[in-house]
C-alpha cells in the first residue's frame, strides 16, 4: 500500500482526499488553516458569462461547474452546503441583450446554464426582494456553495474513510519527506494543495513559483428574511455580489486586495467598498446594511495571468494552486482530476492550462 501525504486541506485537498482509492493508499492530510481561502469563501458557481478571454480557463470553469451534480451525488451535499439557486445578472439594459446572446451561444456547449430569461424589474424583485425593481438576466443553472460548510462535511466523509488528519504547519525536507513539529515522515507521493503558500513551501527544494497572495473579505448580514434559502444569487454590476443563504443569512462579497499580502484584518474600508457598490441595487439599503454583520477573511492565490495550474512536478510531487477568485468552481474538479491521476495514471488536464513550467520551475532549469 502506498503512502500519500496531502498538504493543504482547502477545497482541492479535501476533495482529492475523498476521491482517492482507499484500497491502494494510506492517506494523511496535513493542514494548518490560518488564512485559508476556502473556509472564508461562500460563492457563486456560475462561470458561463464571465468576461475573461482565457479559453483554457473557461473550459476548466465550465467543466468544473458541470461537475457539481456528480459531486453532490457522490458526497450527498445538502442545501446548507450547495444549492442550485439560479443566478441574476444585473446590468444596464443594453448589456443585458448582449449577455442574453452570449448565454444562448454558450448554452450550446454548456447545457448546465439551464433556462435563460430576461426579467423585468418587477420580476427581478419578486425573485430577490432585497433588490430594487431593476431588469436582470436570469440563468437557472447557477448555484451557491458555502466553502466552510463544504469542508466540514468533506472532512467527516474523509474521516469515515480512514484518512488521517494532522493539524500542523509542515515543511518539506525533500520531495518525499514531510517535517512537522519534531517529526519527519516519508511518503511515496506528496500532493501540495496549499494555496498561495506553495511558493514558500517549495523554495527550499529550489523551485520558483509565479504566485501572489490576494486578500478577500466578505460580509455576512444576519437578516429576518425567512425564505432567503430560496432566493437566487445576484451578480451586481461592479465588485459586489449578493449571496443569500438559509435562515436570513445574506452575504455580500468579496474584495480583491492585491496589495494586502497576508493581512487577515477585518477592515472598515472593505465594508465601505462592498456596501457602496451594492447600495444602488438595494430596495432598502439601510435595512440590510444595519443588520448584524460579521466578516469572513481569507487569502487567495493568483498567478500573473490569473490562471490556475496543477500537475506533476516530479515523480513524487504533485501541485495545484493559483485558483484565484474562481476556486470554488474549479477546485472540486481539480481535486477529482488529481485523484483520477493517482487512481488510474490518466492525466486528462492538458486542455485546461498552459505548461506547468509557465508557473513553476526549478532554479537549475532557470539557470541553464
Ligand atoms: C472572501 C473570498 C470569497 C471567494 N468567493 C469565491 C466565489 O464566489 N466563487 C469562487 O469560485 N471562488 C471564490 N473564492 C476563491 C476560492 O475560495 C479559492 O480559490 C479556493 O478556495 C482555493 O482553494 P485551495 O484549496 O487552493 O486553497 P485554500 O483553501 O487556501 O487551502 C490551502 C490550505 O493549505 C494550508 N497550508 C498552507 N501552507 C501550509 C503548510 N505549510 N502546512 C500545512 N498547511 C498549509 C492553508 O492554511 C490552507 O488551509 C473566494 C475566496 C475568498 C477569500
Amino acid at each position: 500500500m502506498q503512502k500519500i501525504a496531502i498538504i493543504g486541506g482547502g477545497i482541492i485537498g479535501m476533495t482529492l482526499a475523498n476521491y482517492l482509492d482507499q484500497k491502494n493508499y494510506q492517506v494523511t492530510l496535513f493542514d494548518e488553516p490560518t488564512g485559508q481561502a476556502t473556509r472564508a469563501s461562500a460563492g457563486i458557481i456560475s462561470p458561463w458569462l464571465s468576461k475573461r478571454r482565457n479559453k483554457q480557463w473557461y473550459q476548466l470553469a465550465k467543466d468544473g461547474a458541470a461537475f457539481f451534480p456528480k459531486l453532490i451525488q457522490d458526497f450527498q451535499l445538502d442545501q446548507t452546503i450547495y444549492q442550485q439557486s439560479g443566478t441574476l445578472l444585473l446590468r444596464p439594459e443594453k448589456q443585458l441583450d448582449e449577455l442574453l446572446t452570449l448565454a444562448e451561444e454558450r448554452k450550446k456547449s454548456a447545457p448546465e446554464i439551464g433556462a435563460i430569461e430576461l426579467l423585468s424589474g418587477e420580476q427581478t424583485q419578486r425573485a430577490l426582494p432585497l433588490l430594487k425593481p431593476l431588469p436582470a438576466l436570469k440563468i437557472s443553472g447557477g448555484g451557491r456553495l458555502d466553502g466552510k460548510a463544504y469542508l466540514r462535511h468533506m472532512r467527516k466523509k474523509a474521516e469515515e474513510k480512514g484518512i488521517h488528519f494532522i493539524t500542523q504547519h509542515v515543511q518539506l525536507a525533500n520531495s518525499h519527506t514531510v517535517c512537522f513539529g519534531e517529526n519527519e515522515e516519508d511518503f511515496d507521493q506528496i500532493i501540495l494543495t496549499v494555496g498561495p503558500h506553495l511558493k514558500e513551501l517549495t523554495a527550499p527544494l529550489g523551485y520558483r513559483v509565479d504566485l501572489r497572495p490576494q486578500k478577500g473579505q466578505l460580509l455576512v448580514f444576519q437578516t429576518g428574511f425567512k425564505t432567503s434559502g430560496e432566493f437566487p444569487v445576484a451578480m451586481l454590476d461592479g465588485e459586489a455580489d449578493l449571496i443569500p443563504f438559509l435562515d436570513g443569512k445574506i452575504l455580500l462579497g468579496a474584495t480583491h486586495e492585491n496589495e494586502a499580502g497576508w493581512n487577515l484584518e477585518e477592515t472598515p474600508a472593505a465594508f465601505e467598498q462592498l456596501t457602496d457598490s451594492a447600495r444602488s441595487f438595494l430596495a432598502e439599503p439601510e435595512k440590510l446594511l444595519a443588520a448584524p454583520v460579521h466578516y469572513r477573511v481569507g487569502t487567495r492565490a493568483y498567478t500573473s495571468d490569473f490562471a490556475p495550474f496543477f500537475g506533476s512536478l516530479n515523480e513524487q510531487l504533485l501541485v495545484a494552486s493559483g485558483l484565484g477568485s474562481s476556486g470554488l468552481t474549479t477546485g472540486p474538479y481539480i481535486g477529482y482530476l488529481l485523484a483520477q491521476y493517482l487512481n488510474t495514471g490518466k492525466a486528462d488536464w492538458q486542455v485546461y492550462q498552459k505548461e506547468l513550467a509557465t508557473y513553476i520551475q526549478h532554479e537549475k532549469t532557470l539557470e541553464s
Side-chain angles (χ1 to χ4, degrees):
M1 185 170 282
Q2 285 211 9
K3 280 178 73 185
I4 288 200
I6 299 172
I7 305 179
I11 199 160
I12 310 177
M14 202 65 91
T15 311
L16 160 66
N18 273 287
Y19 273 117
L20 279 176
D21 189 345
Q22 294 303 300
K23 288 195 294 292
N24 300 328
Y25 299 122
Q26 182 191 327
V27 183
T28 305
L29 195 153
F30 296 91
D31 187 52
E32 198 289 296
T34 309
Q36 186 192 88
T38 308
R39 210 167 47 139
S41 65
I44 299 182
I45 311 299
S46 190
W48 307 285
L49 304 182
S50 167
K51 285 187 192 149
R52 289 178 67 164
R53 290 178 184 196
N54 181 332
K55 290 201 175 115
Q56 288 178 311
W57 172 84
Y58 178 69
Q59 186 69 31
L60 177 64
K62 174 173 90 70
D63 291 355
F67 178 68
F68 266 79
K70 174 171 167 56
L71 187 71
I72 291 161
Q73 197 177 19
D74 288 347
F75 301 109
Q76 302 92 42
L77 305 185
D78 66 20
Q79 291 188 358
T80 61
I81 303 167
Y82 174 82
Q83 190 178 7
Q84 189 186 317
S85 52
T87 312
L88 300 179
L89 287 103
L90 283 99
R91 300 286 181 276
E93 238 158 313
K94 186 169 172 297
Q95 282 183 32
L96 286 179
D97 291 336
E98 287 164 13
L99 276 181
L100 176 66
T101 310
L102 179 65
E104 283 169 348
E105 182 55 38
R106 291 215 158 145
K107 189 173 168 178
K108 290 177 193 160
S109 62
E112 307 76 39
I113 288 182
I116 307 166
E117 196 184 352
L118 273 179
L119 302 188
S120 67
E122 288 68 33
Q123 287 172 315
T124 302
Q125 199 175 43
R126 220 172 301 133
L128 182 49
L130 292 162
L131 294 172
K132 275 184 185 162
L134 295 164
L137 182 74
K138 182 172 182 195
I139 50 178
S140 68
R144 55 165 167 72
L145 179 76
D146 184 332
K148 189 174 173 184
Y150 178 78
L151 291 187
R152 200 183 307 126
H153 181 77
M154 295 297 271
R155 171 152 182 165
K156 214 163 129 231
K157 294 270 172 203
E159 281 172 344
E160 283 164 15
K161 287 177 79 174
I163 288 167
H164 182 44
F165 282 83
I166 298 183
T167 306
Q168 283 215 32
H169 184 85
V170 311
Q171 290 178 323
L172 295 174
N174 51 52
S175 289
H176 54 88
T177 311
V178 177
C179 310
F180 53 106
E182 305 284 292
N183 307 299
E184 270 192 17
E185 193 170 339
D186 285 346
F187 291 88
D188 299 297
Q189 292 271 340
I190 303 179
I191 303 110
L192 309 178
T193 52
V194 289
H197 297 274
L198 187 65
K199 194 170 182 159
E200 87 222 13
L201 188 61
T202 55
L205 306 191
Y207 289 97
R208 308 267 173 83
V209 190
D210 168 21
L211 210 54
R212 276 161 287 281
Q214 181 189 64
K215 181 178 178 183
Q217 303 189 61
L218 63 76
L219 308 175
V220 185
F221 294 98
Q222 188 57 54
T223 73
F225 285 101
K226 292 205 170 58
T227 55
S228 59
E230 294 159 22
F231 294 165
V233 295
M235 300 171 93
L236 309 179
D237 196 13
E239 274 278 277
D241 293 329
L242 269 179
I243 314 156
F245 272 87
L246 300 174
D247 306 324
K249 221 181 272 173
I250 309 289
L251 277 58
L252 180 62
T255 63
H256 296 80
E257 302 170 54
N258 292 340
E259 306 306 324
W262 303 98
N263 180 292
L264 290 172
E265 272 175 61
E266 304 167 357
T267 64
F271 186 91
E272 292 301 319
Q273 184 201 323
L274 293 169
T275 55
D276 280 356
S277 192
R279 204 176 293 273
S280 60
F281 296 92
L282 297 172
E284 294 179 279
E286 299 320 322
K287 198 166 152 198
L288 173 69
L289 305 181
V293 65
H294 70 266
Y295 290 63
R296 289 190 181 192
V297 189
T299 312
R300 308 180 186 93
Y302 74 101
T303 58
S304 296
D305 64 359
F306 300 95
F309 60 88
F310 52 102
S312 286
L313 205 51
N314 61 34
E315 280 189 5
Q316 274 110 20
L317 287 177
L318 278 173
V319 294
S321 186
L323 274 57
S325 301
S326 49
L328 294 184
T329 313
T330 58
Y333 188 50
I334 292 174
Y336 171 76
L337 290 175
L338 292 172
Q340 286 298 95
Y341 172 66
L342 290 162
N343 290 340
T344 67
K346 281 196 200 129
D348 292 334
W349 52 56
Q350 290 75 7
V351 57
Y352 297 125
Q353 55 180 332
K354 293 182 186 155
E355 292 279 314
L356 199 57
T358 313
Y359 307 101
I360 178 163
Q361 283 201 40
H362 200 274
E363 57 198 14
K364 278 195 194 138
T365 326
L366 288 168
E367 281 156 16
S368 60

